[in-house]
Amino acid sequence: MTTKRELITELQKSIRLWEGFKPSPAGAKGIPGLEPIEAAFPNRVLPKGVIHEFLCTVSENAAACDGFLSGLLSVLMDGGGACLWINRSRQTFPVSLTMFDVAPERIIFMDLTKERDVLWVMEEALKCKGLAAVIAELDGLSMTESRRLQLAAEESQVTGFVLRTNARNINTTACVARWQVIPLPSETEDDLPGVGFPRWQVDLLRVRNGKPGSWIMEWSADRFTAIPMEDHTGHQRHTGVEVPLRKIG
């Protein structure tokens, strides 16, 4: 006999499918080292074939976001395919992608000036199943526009990332998750002089049917690493601290 709990579980699975969360295929890999953050999503894995939005309203956060996204691309592009990166400001330094094990020659950079052109190109690119991911820099994104992008991503299973650059235009969208990446000072071993590995505060501000939170992440040895609080005495933050839902989206 099916229990009440089993009925609820099956209903939740059906709702997730309607919302674009498709179960990962057998043998699909997660993001190495990103397990604490992936646990915040409904299927305990970073949703692919959906739209994620990142708040990059200041240049420092935009640079940090580029680094964190490059780490994600190293896994998303591992199975083949190229990535289309649509810029309006072109702050990304292609050679730096090699630090995250991403070959710059597999990234198609496109510079556009008009917002409507960026939206059109992104939607059309999301329909191309040969791409591993599409990244676009946008000032604003309406609910209708985000729904069109989300539907295109769900159909092709190409993952889309929208970089929101204007704080005044942060509104409710149909994107599956809203992120914010803030740069943190790196730390060297044994207090040796120099520069350590890239380190960020990663905030999952909103996630559909998931659990928002805040984590300290580092990129080293070709993978992410979650930094526990006791190893990060300069910034009194916990790994996986839950943050309240915000009314902005």
Side-chain angles (χ1 to χ4, degrees):
M1 177 181 291
T2 304
T3 65
K4 184 177 180 180
R5 171 54 59 187
E6 290 171 337
L7 282 173
I8 293 175
T9 301
E10 289 302 315
L11 181 59
Q12 289 175 331
K13 288 181 180 177
S14 298
I15 292 174
R16 288 170 191 164
L17 285 174
W18 298 334
E19 292 180 336
F21 288 103
K22 295 186 177 179
S24 301
K29 296 190 299 182
I31 309 292
L34 208 68
E35 293 85 357
I37 299 180
E38 290 192 303
F41 291 96
N43 295 324
R44 301 185 68 81
V45 65
L46 182 80
K48 303 176 182 65
V50 298
I51 302 296
H52 298 258
E53 62 176 333
F54 286 75
L55 305 187
C56 308
T57 55
V58 296
S59 57
E60 292 84 0
N61 291 6
C65 185
D66 285 354
F68 182 75
L69 273 178
S70 299
L72 298 182
L73 288 180
S74 69
V75 177
L76 292 177
M77 299 176 66
D78 191 38
C83 169
L84 178 65
W85 199 316
I86 310 166
N87 291 278
R88 297 190 68 200
S89 59
R90 178 56 85 87
Q91 294 186 356
T92 305
F93 183 49
V95 178
S96 66
L97 295 171
T98 57
M99 179 178 177
F100 299 92
D101 200 25
V102 176
E105 62 270 22
R106 293 181 59 194
I107 306 288
I108 304 168
F109 291 102
M110 181 177 289
D111 293 338
L112 297 173
T113 56
K114 295 181 180 179
E115 189 93 350
R116 63 182 180 183
D117 291 342
V118 175
L119 276 169
W120 184 83
V121 171
M122 183 175 193
E123 183 177 346
E124 294 302 311
L126 284 169
K127 298 175 183 176
C128 301
K129 297 183 179 180
L131 291 174
V134 179
I135 302 171
E137 185 181 309
L138 287 166
D139 277 347
L141 184 67
S142 69
M143 174 61 80
T144 301
E145 293 164 345
S146 62
R147 279 178 176 162
R148 290 177 63 91
L149 297 179
Q150 179 66 25
L151 288 174
E154 290 177 14
E155 178 66 25
S156 65
Q157 286 300 290
V158 176
T159 306
F161 300 100
V162 174
L163 311 183
R164 305 288 299 275
T165 56
N166 191 334
R168 292 176 297 180
N169 291 335
I170 304 303
N171 55 324
T172 302
T173 69
C175 298
V176 164
R178 173 173 289 170
W179 304 68
Q180 180 173 259
V181 182
I182 300 172
L184 293 176
S186 63
E187 295 183 5
T188 58
E189 294 184 3
D190 300 325
D191 294 326
L192 293 172
V195 179
F197 297 109
R199 184 173 288 194
W200 315 280
Q201 176 190 322
V202 180
D203 297 326
L204 195 53
L205 302 175
R206 183 174 63 84
V207 53
R208 194 186 300 169
N209 291 332
K211 187 177 180 181
S214 182
W215 298 264
I216 304 298
M217 304 300 296
E218 183 179 89
W219 180 266
S220 58
D222 296 333
R223 58 170 290 154
F224 290 104
T225 300
I227 305 299
M229 189 184 69
E230 58 269 24
D231 288 345
H232 194 264
T233 55
H235 298 267
Q236 297 299 317
R237 294 184 179 278
H238 297 268
T239 296
V241 169
E242 184 177 358
V243 297
L245 289 173
R246 299 185 177 183
K247 298 297 183 183
I248 56 177

